[in-house]
Amino acid sequence: MDPALAADAPRPLPATRVTGSLGRRMIVIAALWILVLLAGGGWALDRVLTSAVTTNFDDQLDYVLTSLFTSAEIGPDGEVIFNREPADQRFLEPYSGLYWQVSAPGKEAFPSRSLWDRRIAYGTNHTDLEVHVYDSNQFKGEPPLRILERDVKLPGSPVRWRFQVAQSREQLDAQINALRRTLVRSFLLLALGLIVLSGLQTWYGLRPLRRLREEIARLRGGRSARIEGAMPAEVAPMVEELNALIEHNDRQAEEARRHAGNLAHALKTPLTVIMNSATAKSDDLSETVVREARTMRRQVDHHLARARAVGRRGSAHSRADVWPSLDSVERAVGRLYPHVRIDADGPKDLKVHVERQDLDEMLGNLIENAAKYGGGSVFVTVGAQAGFVEFQVEDDGLGIPEEERVRIFDRGVRLDTGKPGTGLGLAIVRDVAEIYEGTVSLEESDDLGGLMVRLRLPAAS
């Protein structure tokens, strides 16, 4: 392949670095949060329901315990007898899982028939004046016992008798396990439903971004000129910025084409004059070449200045301090025109939304013109006004007639041909100011009597 053709061939765009799926991130975060909340809520609900079931179980045993010591009496031989036996038949069935026992230190224990040959452990190291509830594994190979006990002093007895009611936890644990299985299944189903709902919400919520991608692809393929269609409130500002960027790029491209056409048209006539003079071998060929080359140089300078300003206008951070720029221009013009007095007044902290180079060029053209065509005095006033910074450049010259103030902005127009110049200064100032959405106008100076140029540029915070 020809190296020149290879150099002109379009290069593939660099691959965009992908950091993962936005939708996957949202689903994973939502799933983790759902699981954490459901786990916490499930644990809390399990504690509440388990406590409720256990309390109900204990209340039943407490009812039996109360009925025991309220119906107990001391017999003739010091034994404990009941004037009313517990009604539950399980107290009569050996190893039924429901037991009672009455015992005291140094006394023979009185157990229920269901205990048969076993006895509930009796601890002598504490006194249970209130109901004491605990679990016990004293019967090996069987489920734990839930025991309620209380120490009561019966009438006619010198000792405190401990009344104990015990029941196997098998039924209680079965209820708790059934409850937990129901909770786990319900919460897992709820978690699955919430995660699926989160996925659907993410898919639907990110749908405008997929539409935006399709619209950008249509735009790049030339099938549309801008991004169309209604968008959600969160995406609409981005779409507006993208459309504004597209319009900005289109304007810049159109300005570039127009500048190229204007420059070509401006250079065409001088080149034609030079070629005709050279072909005719005119005696004044050298003078013609110099004159037309000077004209071409003016045109090139003008279009280059405008092109630079257009290119820099796209920078969102373009800003310049007014006073440093004004000081540097004053010093430069003062060296060119040492006999001219240049004064300036205004706040020292003003900033404009303009590149420093363009601000120097505009102020340089205005102050140099005032020094060149004035009578020896130039006064510059700077002030802030309604979002703009206004420059008033006044001189004590002859001024410009009102009927000429519009024509003087045309390229190459000079009212005073007796002094050197290109006739592009005010035209460049106007074009560059308009690029930054500023204005420039000519008026009569009330203080110095000459010309006053009013330049307004957007202020920067």
Side-chain angles (χ1 to χ4, degrees), residues 38 182-196:
L38 289 183
T182 303
L183 282 177
V184 170
R185 292 170 183 171
S186 301
F187 274 69
L188 285 178
L189 183 61
L190 179 60
L192 179 61
L194 290 176
I195 291 174
V196 171

Side-chain angles (χ1 to χ4, degrees), residues 205-280:
L206 295 180
R207 186 178 177 184
L209 295 181
R210 293 192 292 272
R211 279 187 53 208
L212 181 60
R213 177 184 177 184
E214 294 171 358
E215 290 292 331
I216 293 176
R218 284 171 49 85
L219 184 67
R220 193 160 67 95
R223 298 190 298 274
S224 62
R226 67 195 311 272
I227 300 175
E228 302 289 349
M231 292 288 178
E234 293 79 8
V235 182
M238 181 175 65
V239 173
E240 293 175 0
E241 291 296 330
L242 284 174
N243 284 330
L245 178 61
I246 292 168
E247 293 174 1
H248 172 74
N249 290 337
D250 289 343
R251 286 197 304 269
Q252 283 195 322
E254 181 61 30
E255 288 176 354
R257 287 192 294 268
R258 186 169 65 250
H259 293 331
N262 291 341
L263 181 59
H265 180 74
L267 297 180
K268 183 176 180 180
T269 299
L271 287 174
T272 302
V273 172
I274 292 174
M275 289 183 64
N276 290 339
S277 297
T279 302

Side-chain angles (χ1 to χ4, degrees), residues 369-370 372-375 393-405 408 415-416 426 442-445 448-453:
N369 282 347
K372 182 191 300 182
Y373 299 108
V393 182
E394 304 175 72
D395 63 61
D396 57 347
L398 298 177
I400 297 177
E402 187 174 354
E403 61 273 10
E404 299 289 344
R405 291 176 186 171
I408 194 65
L415 300 182
D416 186 358
L426 288 178
L442 303 182
E443 303 173 17
E444 183 178 351
S445 173
L448 301 182
L451 180 67
M452 182 181 74
V453 182

Side-chain angles (χ1 to χ4, degrees), residues 55 58 84 88 97 122 127 136 202 217 237 310 320 350 354 358 423 447:
T55 300
D58 293 342
R84 183 179 66 251
D88 198 321
Y122 174 83
T127 301
S136 173
T202 300
V310 170
L350 295 179
V354 177
D358 295 328
D447 297 330

Side-chain angles (χ1 to χ4, degrees), residues 365-438:
N365 278 315
L366 295 181
I367 296 176
E368 183 181 0
N369 282 347
K372 182 191 300 182
Y373 299 108
S377 294
V378 176
F379 192 74
V380 182
T381 306
V382 185
Q385 189 178 44
F388 286 85
V389 174
E390 184 174 277
F391 301 84
Q392 297 178 8
V393 182
E394 304 175 72
D395 63 61
D396 57 347
L398 298 177
I400 297 177
E402 187 174 354
E403 61 273 10
E404 299 289 344
R405 291 176 186 171
V406 176
R407 191 172 69 90
I408 194 65
F409 284 106
D410 294 339
R411 292 189 295 273
V413 174
R414 299 173 59 207
L415 300 182
D416 186 358
T417 58
K419 296 182 179 181
T422 62
L424 292 173
L426 288 178
I428 290 175
V429 172
R430 179 198 60 187
D431 290 346
V432 175
E434 289 178 351
I435 287 171
Y436 287 103
E437 300 181 354

